[in-house]
Amino acid sequence: MNMTTEASTEGQDFKNILDHTDEELQAIAHPMWEELIEYSNKGQYGKFIKKFSYNLLFGLNEVEVGKQFVKSALTRSLDPNYDFLGFIRRGEHVTCLYRVRSTKKEGEWLGRMVLGYEDGEVRIFGASIF
């Protein structure tokens, strides 16, 4: 699957993620969220962080995050079927909210992914499951 981080509108140079419509944001965000779920379930940490922003990567203690990533039963059993709940726009970032479930644990969790532009590309500035 070819994932582009640009909107389908040709010839527009977006400087702020908030310039995108909801439909454009969904076309960008959902494939990125699906990749996070896929790589989390497979335990492929390197692929999981590949679209993270430089500042997010710089701030991570990769050894600790890597250990947590591998040992967490939830992060290794995310159901690929999710419910999109909506966007929260603020500053130069948009927070994408998802309802997620586990294939091994009962209940529902809130998934959060923060997107913005870095060096002309949409990057992940935060990702978590509560």
Side-chain angles (χ1 to χ4, degrees):
M1 169 169 40
N2 182 9
M3 280 194 20
T4 180
T5 57
E6 294 180 4
S8 58
T9 309
E10 288 185 37
Q12 262 186 307
D13 184 22
F14 289 98
K15 304 264 188 246
N16 189 324
I17 192 94
L18 304 184
D19 295 337
H20 291 287
T21 66
D22 280 1
E23 293 76 20
E24 290 168 334
L25 284 172
Q26 288 180 34
I28 295 166
H30 295 346
M32 292 176 85
W33 183 252
E34 290 162 7
E35 277 193 351
L36 288 180
I37 290 174
E38 175 186 355
Y39 297 138
S40 184
N41 284 340
K42 291 179 178 178
Q44 296 176 332
Y45 182 70
K47 289 182 179 181
F48 179 79
I49 64 168
K50 75 179 182 178
K51 296 201 185 229
F52 281 17
S53 71
Y54 172 78
N55 286 334
L56 179 58
L57 290 173
F58 186 72
L60 292 177
N61 178 335
E62 290 200 47
V63 173
E64 287 305 311
V65 173
K67 285 181 193 175
Q68 189 177 23
F69 183 82
V70 170
K71 293 181 181 179
S72 169
L74 178 60
T75 62
R76 297 300 296 278
S77 66
L78 296 172
D79 189 327
N81 300 304
Y82 57 85
D83 299 315
F84 172 65
L85 301 176
F87 295 118
I88 298 173
R89 292 171 164 84
R90 179 177 46 251
E92 295 183 1
H93 297 95
V94 63
T95 299
C96 314
L97 300 172
Y98 298 94
R99 177 181 306 136
V100 293
R101 295 166 190 84
S102 169
T103 58
K104 295 182 180 175
K105 295 181 136 204
E106 290 289 324
E108 300 176 334
W109 286 264
L110 177 64
R112 167 190 151 270
M113 179 175 66
V114 180
L115 300 178
Y117 273 95
E118 180 180 73
D119 298 327
E121 289 186 57
V122 175
R123 293 296 210 183
I124 298 171
F125 286 78
S128 54
I129 294 181
F130 303 98

